[in-house]
Amino acid sequence: MKILLVRVSSLGDVLHNMPIVDDLLQHFPDAQIDWVVEEAYVNLVKLNPGVRRVFPFALRRWRKNLGEALSKQEIQKFFSDLRKEEYDIVLETQGLLKTGLIMGLARIKAGGKKVGLANGTEGSGYEAISRIFHSESVKVDSRTHAVLRGRLVAAQACGYRVTTPASFGLRGSALHPVWMPDKPYAVFFHGTAGASKKWARGNWISIAHSLAQKGMPILLPWGNAAEKNEAEQMAAQMPNATVLPQLSMQEATVLAQRAALAIGVDTGLTHIAAAYETPTIEIYCDSPRWKTEGNWSAKIINLGDQGKPAGIDEVQRAIDSLLPA
């Protein structure tokens, strides 16, 4: 069986699609699984050995350079490469017009099918027009977890039931960045796009002082100039913190995977740590916890909820339960 997954972005959404691969291979060990994904996340998808081929989709960059010859060539090559393949099943779990178009252009074998979402969940950017590209549309509850949503689409398309916790199937990387400590470390994934989703700076500083008593260094990554400035201001008040250089996607993944403890707000890098079952504390401040909480491992503790940020004491208790005394 040849199966194509279409899930192009964002980081967290691509990651939450990953258990579909393990599910499919559990039921169809010889399946060949390909994936269309935004080019920024190609290396993340390649960490799953169950994916045979990755088609890089560069819409964000192509939009900026639409009139240039190189972009036109890349677009033509993308669709040409995609249409060289024929699939038994195409799964589209994003529910957008752009991903529906990719599904529509993918080729299926005689008797093959294209399956996607019949509806969105609360707060999703679902576009109903995407259904015109489906052979079948799968209805899900309006409060279906982001990981389960895609798993249910694949299960109905392929005739099995979801009965096990999510397994992300990500292998480790051999990369060893120069900034990597030679002792167990904690990482604070403090940066996020919305100010309301941030955990208060003073809270991070208090937790850092607590971890200093355990002799544990803290690494502070950042994704843009504002987050770097925030990290530097926090580090100035922490006895054990290091602000990292700008990281590639591969380096950020290694950072999350190898941490002795990851503490983060609702953001993609926190979810990577949870996918690797790194001891992880997910802090929800202004997003609904039911959507993305790590519910597949006892090593993941989810705190707070929309409009109800976790307190310092809650996080400290979670640290004590995850780290040996």
Side-chain angles (χ1 to χ4, degrees), residues 206-219:
S206 293
I207 294 301
H209 281 271
S210 171
L211 289 173
Q213 295 176 14
K214 297 177 181 290
M216 180 171 282
I218 294 169
L219 303 186

Side-chain angles (χ1 to χ4, degrees), residues 239-257:
N240 51 336
T242 300
V243 178
L244 293 174
Q246 189 165 26
L247 305 182
S248 66
M249 187 72 249
Q250 287 175 290
E251 290 174 315
T253 300
V254 169
L255 171 68
Q257 175 211 339

Side-chain angles (χ1 to χ4, degrees), residues 176-190:
H176 193 84
V178 294
W179 46 258
M180 181 70 68
D182 57 4
K183 60 188 294 188
Y185 65 88
V187 57
F188 287 179
F189 292 121
H190 59 95

Side-chain angles (χ1 to χ4, degrees), residues 7-39:
R7 187 71 190 225
V8 300
S9 61
S10 60
L11 172 57
D13 293 334
V14 170
L15 186 73
H16 288 148
N17 216 50
M18 206 73 72
I20 294 174
V21 177
D22 190 72
D23 288 351
L24 290 170
L25 293 175
Q26 288 293 323
H27 292 88
F28 310 102
D30 297 326
Q32 296 180 359
I33 301 171
D34 296 347
W35 192 320
V36 178
V37 71
E38 181 69 36
E39 63 179 355

Side-chain angles (χ1 to χ4, degrees), residues 44-292:
L44 177 63
V45 173
K46 285 183 176 180
L47 287 173
N48 190 318
V51 178
R52 180 191 70 149
R53 182 176 182 183
V54 182
F55 293 96
F57 183 64
L59 182 61
R60 295 175 185 179
R61 181 167 53 81
W62 291 337
R63 276 175 175 166
K64 295 177 182 177
N65 305 287
L66 202 53
E68 295 184 5
L70 180 59
S71 293
K72 291 178 181 178
Q73 291 172 8
E74 288 182 347
I75 294 169
Q76 290 171 353
K77 185 177 188 307
F78 168 78
F79 287 113
S80 174
D81 289 347
L82 183 64
R83 289 185 56 77
K84 286 176 184 175
E85 301 282 354
E86 277 193 335
Y87 294 96
D88 296 284
I89 298 174
V90 179
L91 301 172
E92 192 275 294
T93 61
Q94 201 156 355
L96 300 177
L97 175 59
K98 67 180 180 182
T99 47
L101 284 166
I102 295 170
M103 168 185 264
L105 289 165
R107 296 170 61 219
I108 53 174
K109 299 176 182 178
K113 54 187 176 180
K114 299 179 178 183
V115 185
L117 286 162
N119 61 290
T121 52
E122 283 184 23
S124 70
Y126 180 78
E127 296 172 339
I129 194 172
S130 62
R131 293 199 299 270
I132 67 174
F133 302 102
H134 300 175
S135 306
E136 296 177 17
S137 300
V138 179
K139 184 173 177 57
V140 296
D141 186 84
S142 63
R143 284 203 165 195
T144 303
H145 190 284
V147 172
L148 181 59
R149 185 173 58 211
R151 296 180 77 194
L152 290 174
V153 171
Q156 184 161 319
C158 298
Y160 60 83
R161 295 179 60 203
V162 176
T163 59
T164 59
S167 174
F168 289 76
L170 293 169
R171 62 187 166 202
S173 170
L175 192 68
H176 193 84
V178 294
W179 46 258
M180 181 70 68
D182 57 4
K183 60 188 294 188
Y185 65 88
V187 57
F188 287 179
F189 292 121
H190 59 95
T192 184
S196 61
K197 293 173 68 175
K198 292 183 177 181
W199 204 42
R201 184 188 302 175
N203 295 345
W204 291 111
I205 293 167
S206 293
I207 294 301
H209 281 271
S210 171
L211 289 173
Q213 295 176 14
K214 297 177 181 290
M216 180 171 282
I218 294 169
L219 303 186
L220 300 175
W222 49 274
N224 55 45
E227 289 178 8
K228 183 181 182 183
N229 181 59
E230 180 76 14
E232 289 171 344
Q233 291 188 47
M234 287 199 299
Q237 300 179 68
M238 296 175 176
N240 51 336
T242 300
V243 178
L244 293 174
Q246 189 165 26
L247 305 182
S248 66
M249 187 72 249
Q250 287 175 290
E251 290 174 315
T253 300
V254 169
L255 171 68
Q257 175 211 339
R258 297 186 191 161
L261 176 69
I263 306 176
V265 292
D266 178 20
T267 190
L269 294 178
T270 307
H271 299 314
I272 288 179
Y276 272 109
E277 299 187 21
T278 297
T280 302
I281 300 170
E282 298 187 352
I283 301 173
Y284 290 83
C285 298
D286 196 36
S287 51
R289 197 167 91 183
W290 63 263
K291 272 191 171 185
T292 58

